[in-house]
Amino acid sequence: MSRGVFIAIIIVILAAAGFFAFNKNEQPATETVIAEAPAEPVSGVHLDALDLTTRSQDDFYQYANGGWLDSTEIPEIYSGYTVYHEVFERTEVILRAIIKDAATNPGEPGSESQKVGDLFASYLDEDVINSLGVTPMQPEFDKIKAVDSQDALLKLIANFMQIGVGTPFFIDVFPDLKDSTQYAIYFNQSGITLPDRDYYLDKSNDNFTAAREALPIYMRDMLIAAGYAADDAESAAKTVYAMEYAMAEAHWDKVKNRDPEAIYNPYDSTELSQLGDINWNEFRNDLAITATDMIVIQQPSFIESLVSMINERPLEDWKHYFTYNVMDSSANHLDQASADIRFAFRNRLLNGQQEERPRWRRGVSLVNALLGEAVGKLYVAEHFPPEAKAKMEEMVDNLLAEFDRSIDELTWMSAETKIKAKEKRAKFSYKIGYPNEWKDYSSMEIVHGNHVNNLRNAAIWQYQQEVGKLGKPIDKNEWFMNPQTVNAYYDPTQNEIVFPAARLQPPFFQLNADDAINYGAVGGVIGHEVSHGFDDSGSKFDGDGNLTNWWTEADREAFEALTNALVEQYNQFSPVEGMTVNGEFTLGENIGDLSGVQVAYKTYIRSLNGAEPPVIDGFTGPQRFFIGYAMSRKGKYHDESIINRLASDPHSPLEFRVIGPYRNSDGFHEAFGTQEGDGMWLSPEERVKIW
């Protein structure tokens, strides 16, 4: 994942700390289970996951994963089920034991174990939560009722932003894109319930229409739960929907939001009035962001439209809007009736998930989100052996060296730009496993028995942590994922790749397996993250993390010709009837997949030092490499979730994250002997090679 693609992705990560809304799109975290390496490496291929009735040359995704796909049903508690979920479920059991131990033995008041245990125990106390109904949100309802002016409305927005209630825009603190030595504050569009503006504006998609028609009903039910009379709720819901529709019309589309040059729009405090007539100085003070005089407005036209709505919409409309947002942001932490309303719309209708996950599992996710490093510290001590870190460091170094050689071999890039590209590559850094310095949660107040207030406290703590960075040196030790998260990211402003401990476990990373499987399954991911530094977005940053042009005009044109060809390839992929992948929106991740596989494969071949790899389980080394990468992408989703992801996820569907790169890989065609007419065939002149 690019941390990256650009600000949009990292903002999702940081915004997850807003508590009432933190798990709108829960993502699994995982554990590390690594066996000691035997004397003779095993192949690492999961033979029962294969579908040997499908020709590898026709549909490699089905060939490598079909046995698993055909025998695996999506559990009703998920909108999809992937290899990540498998690992996640194993990890949850271990994390539950760590967290329950903290709940049983909380230690001194104010200690991390006390906070972890009390947060978990308070969430599990359903009897207390159900008995309270929606009354824990009364402080927010009272604030809404008290709004009697535009200034009071702006103060409400500032307050709700700090406690995690949904607002029309949100802020993030992140290194300045053009000066990575200092932090900047960013304003980013928000304010809508549906996954993307297309759900509101695209009238040709039946699924979007169904979601759009169901939304006012959901809003009405949430307002009734908040205490509105039925008739009043019906009318208010229409108003709130109209407001969201207007915001969606003003939203920048997802492709434009991927362009770091387009979203970098700095304004100093004297220029903010250009965006509309509100008291910007007072608003900045209420947001606690006066430590910097500059704000980057990512979508100026959206903010202009929003300010117009603030000035023109009756205060009563805004009161309806924020009452709904209080409920939408908090319902999954309130009584069962409120939680059920939210689940039926957000999870079942929009994603196809049929049942809620068991409460203890949601409690583990909650603790991971709010006190992740406190749990991660214990997790890595027990489940991340130093041998795994050492092996991963070796693989990263090998991939980076190979990427250097790949730059030398490029035929489409001039010598002048190659020098700049290699300078950037030389400045790459990486983090593996866990932070060198852990977060200090001592100032976060968590008490037993007051669940919603714990969420408020945690949200305020996180907000203060973020705005507290302004005016201070960049913290190069900071991580944006927990050690127990199965994922990885590239940060263009730090020019670094980061691999949490949980990403380095079977089937992604197998210490006891032959190198072929690891270079495929995890080497492909290393290459993916490195390639983000050179994708259509990351390539606009230099080795110091600054948004600047280090390309010649001719080389940029040559690069864009290659990426345009890749866009056209992915535009043809259709995972559900009537919808295709948006090749432009997913371009950065597609470049990461394509170049990651190609560079990882070359690294694996070089690691053999000219020796012929053994045939194990009937597969050659190159074949095991490609099986390894493919099996790390296995998974399936309900159609509702696929549609949601096509509209809002910059990654292509899993099957095309295998098929797309492999069709363009000479190594794949050689390993499996494809020929013209095969399903995986792409003629050599059509194959795209970027890095």
Side-chain angles (χ1 to χ4, degrees):
M1 172 188 288
S2 170
R3 181 193 168 254
V5 191
F6 164 59
I7 290 286
I9 296 300
I10 189 56
I11 282 180
V12 168
I13 295 170
L14 297 180
F19 285 102
F20 298 133
F22 92 96
N23 61 350
K24 284 184 177 179
N25 297 292
E26 280 185 356
Q27 295 297 322
T30 54
E31 72 154 313
T32 305
V33 181
I34 302 177
E36 292 184 4
E40 293 295 328
V42 298
S43 77
V45 174
H46 295 179
L47 298 174
D48 58 351
L50 303 176
D51 174 11
L52 299 180
T53 66
T54 297
R55 294 179 71 243
S56 59
Q57 299 90 343
D58 285 332
D59 183 348
F60 196 83
Y61 188 75
Q62 178 67 23
Y63 170 79
N65 298 314
W68 183 91
L69 293 169
D70 294 343
S71 63
T72 301
E73 296 293 331
I74 300 174
E76 293 191 338
I77 61 173
Y78 297 120
S79 61
Y81 197 70
T82 70
V83 63
Y84 293 87
H85 290 81
E86 286 188 326
V87 178
F88 169 46
E89 289 178 332
R90 293 200 308 265
T91 302
E92 275 188 323
V93 174
I94 289 177
L95 295 175
R96 181 191 192 187
I98 293 172
I99 293 168
K100 285 186 70 176
D101 182 65
T104 305
N105 306 289
E108 294 295 320
S111 66
E112 287 185 348
S113 61
Q114 175 264 311
K115 297 176 197 291
V116 167
D118 284 351
L119 178 65
F120 185 69
S122 297
Y123 178 69
L124 291 190
D125 197 342
E126 293 181 80
D127 289 341
V128 169
I129 289 173
N130 280 323
S131 70
L132 294 172
V134 302
T135 58
M137 308 316 300
Q138 194 59 47
E140 281 66 49
F141 295 149
D142 290 343
K143 291 174 186 176
I144 293 170
K145 290 177 182 177
V147 170
D148 58 3
S149 65
Q150 183 200 74
D151 287 344
L153 177 61
L154 292 172
K155 287 183 182 297
L156 182 78
I157 292 172
N159 176 258
F160 278 7
M161 197 176 296
Q162 294 175 55
I163 63 172
V165 172
T167 52
F169 73 96
F170 62 93
I171 68 174
D172 179 47
V173 178
F174 194 70
D176 189 320
L177 299 194
K178 293 196 173 181
D179 182 1
S180 62
T181 65
Q182 64 179 4
Y183 288 108
I185 192 83
Y186 295 84
F187 281 28
N188 190 43
Q189 66 188 21
S190 186
I192 61 177
T193 301
L194 297 177
D196 181 72
R197 71 193 296 267
D198 287 351
Y199 272 76
Y200 297 83
L201 308 181
D202 183 351
K203 305 300 169 55
S204 65
N205 186 302
D206 291 342
N207 291 281
F208 291 177
T209 298
R212 198 164 53 242
E213 291 175 349
L215 179 56
I217 300 171
Y218 170 63
M219 291 172 165
R220 178 203 65 194
D221 292 346
M222 277 290 162
L223 290 169
I224 290 173
Y228 278 55
D231 289 347
D232 293 340
E234 188 90 33
S235 174
K238 292 178 181 178
T239 296
V240 176
Y241 178 81
M243 294 173 73
E244 285 203 2
Y245 193 93
M247 291 181 197
E249 287 184 308
H251 267 214
W252 287 19
D253 68 57
K254 53 185 173 283
V255 173
K256 188 174 182 179
N257 275 321
R258 288 193 65 257
D259 184 351
E261 294 174 323
I263 63 174
Y264 186 77
N265 305 288
Y267 288 72
D268 68 34
S269 59
T270 64
E271 296 172 324
L272 290 172
S273 60
Q274 298 173 15
L275 299 169
D277 184 19
I278 61 174
N279 189 335
W280 284 103
N281 288 335
E282 187 66 21
F283 193 37
R284 289 172 61 237
N285 186 62
D286 291 337
L287 290 168
I289 58 173
T290 54
T292 178
D293 196 49
M294 189 263 282
I295 295 175
V296 178
I297 307 294
Q298 293 184 236
Q299 303 90 8
S301 60
F302 173 79
I303 298 298
E304 290 174 4
S305 176
L306 176 61
V307 171
S308 294
M309 288 182 67
I310 289 172
N311 286 326
E312 296 168 9
R313 278 274 178 181
L315 290 178
E316 200 64 27
D317 290 0
W318 284 107
K319 291 181 180 184
H320 298 324
Y321 175 85
F322 281 113
T323 301
Y324 161 70
N325 271 277
V326 166
M327 289 301 300
D328 180 55
S329 300
S330 63
N332 51 336
H333 293 284
L334 302 176
D335 61 289
Q336 195 60 52
S338 299
D340 286 346
I341 295 169
R342 188 181 189 279
F343 178 86
F345 181 77
R346 282 200 170 274
N347 298 66
R348 186 176 293 122
L349 188 143
L350 292 182
N351 281 300
Q353 181 182 342
Q354 298 305 303
E355 293 182 4
E356 184 60 279
R357 295 170 60 219
R359 195 168 187 89
W360 74 263
R361 292 187 183 275
R362 286 177 280 150
V364 169
S365 295
L366 175 69
V367 176
N368 279 337
L370 310 192
L371 291 164
E373 288 193 13
V375 177
K377 190 184 304 182
L378 300 173
Y379 171 77
V380 297
E382 299 177 22
H383 301 284
F384 188 58
E387 299 91 339
K389 185 169 185 175
K391 180 64 176 177
M392 187 65 176
E393 288 172 345
E394 175 189 338
M395 293 183 68
V396 171
D397 286 337
N398 289 346
L399 262 292
L400 288 172
E402 190 62 42
F403 206 95
D404 226 29
R405 285 185 283 266
S406 291
I407 292 172
D408 285 331
E409 296 167 0
L410 296 177
T411 59
W412 57 268
M413 180 179 279
S414 70
E416 179 183 350
T417 305
K418 283 181 181 180
I419 292 172
K420 298 290 186 180
K422 294 187 72 172
E423 286 177 356
K424 176 171 183 175
R425 210 297 300 154
K427 292 182 177 181
F428 259 73
S429 61
Y430 57 81
K431 297 172 181 172
I432 294 174
Y434 50 88
N436 293 325
E437 298 177 9
W438 299 94
K439 287 183 180 178
D440 178 5
Y441 296 101
S442 60
S443 60
M444 183 193 297
E445 183 179 355
I446 301 292
V447 298
H448 187 275
N450 197 338
H451 176 58
V452 168
N453 207 50
N454 286 339
L455 302 185
R456 286 192 191 94
N457 291 340
I460 291 169
W461 179 89
Q462 180 62 46
Y463 187 90
Q464 290 173 344
Q465 292 292 305
E466 292 305 306
V467 298
K469 297 174 185 177
L470 295 172
K472 296 180 181 177
I474 298 294
D475 181 3
K476 292 185 176 293
N477 292 309
E478 186 175 16
W479 281 54
F480 296 93
M481 288 180 181
N482 294 322
Q484 63 271 32
T485 300
V486 178
N487 213 328
Y489 66 88
Y490 167 73
D491 179 350
T493 64
Q494 299 301 305
N495 197 28
E496 69 177 4
I497 50 179
V498 182
F499 299 90
R503 188 62 178 82
L504 311 178
Q505 60 175 305
F508 308 113
F509 181 62
Q510 303 179 61
L511 199 58
N512 64 337
D514 177 70
D515 275 353
I517 208 80
N518 284 326
Y519 271 105
V522 78
V525 175
I526 298 169
H528 174 103
E529 300 305 337
V530 174
S531 298
H532 272 315
F534 299 91
D535 67 18
D536 61 315
S537 176
S539 62
K540 295 178 179 180
F541 292 80
D542 64 17
D544 295 317
N546 295 313
L547 182 60
T548 186
N549 181 25
W550 47 269
W551 296 68
T552 67
E553 184 176 346
D555 286 336
R556 176 56 74 172
E557 289 176 357
F559 174 75
E560 291 179 352
L562 292 170
T563 61
N564 288 339
L566 197 64
V567 167
E568 290 305 311
Q569 285 187 23
Y570 279 79
N571 281 343
Q572 308 308 310
F573 294 143
S574 178
V576 291
E577 185 176 354
M579 292 188 73
T580 62
V581 174
N582 184 328
E584 192 172 3
F585 176 47
T586 58
L587 178 58
E589 298 298 333
N590 297 338
I591 293 173
D593 288 338
L594 172 69
S595 298
V597 166
Q598 292 179 346
V599 174
Y601 182 69
K602 291 194 292 184
T603 307
Y604 166 64
I605 295 300
R606 188 174 299 278
S607 75
L608 299 172
N609 294 315
E612 189 70 24
V615 174
I616 310 177
D617 288 340
F619 298 106
T620 67
Q623 290 173 337
R624 292 195 303 278
F625 171 92
F626 288 107
I627 292 172
Y629 176 80
M631 73 183 191
S632 75
R633 299 296 186 196
K634 68 174 181 274
K636 58 201 305 186
Y637 288 93
H638 289 305
D639 283 355
E640 296 92 338
S641 182
I642 294 173
I643 291 164
N644 186 328
R645 289 167 182 272
L646 287 173
S648 59
D649 187 349
H651 299 82
S652 293
L654 290 171
E655 62 189 290
F656 303 120
R657 298 190 69 181
V658 173
I659 292 172
Y662 284 11
R663 295 180 78 228
N664 287 287
S665 170
D666 293 340
F668 169 77
H669 293 288
E670 293 166 3
F672 289 93
T674 60
Q675 299 179 23
E676 189 171 358
D678 291 338
M680 295 293 296
W681 177 257
L682 195 64
S683 63
E685 60 271 18
E686 292 179 292
R687 296 172 195 168
V688 176
K689 302 177 185 66
I690 299 178
W691 296 103

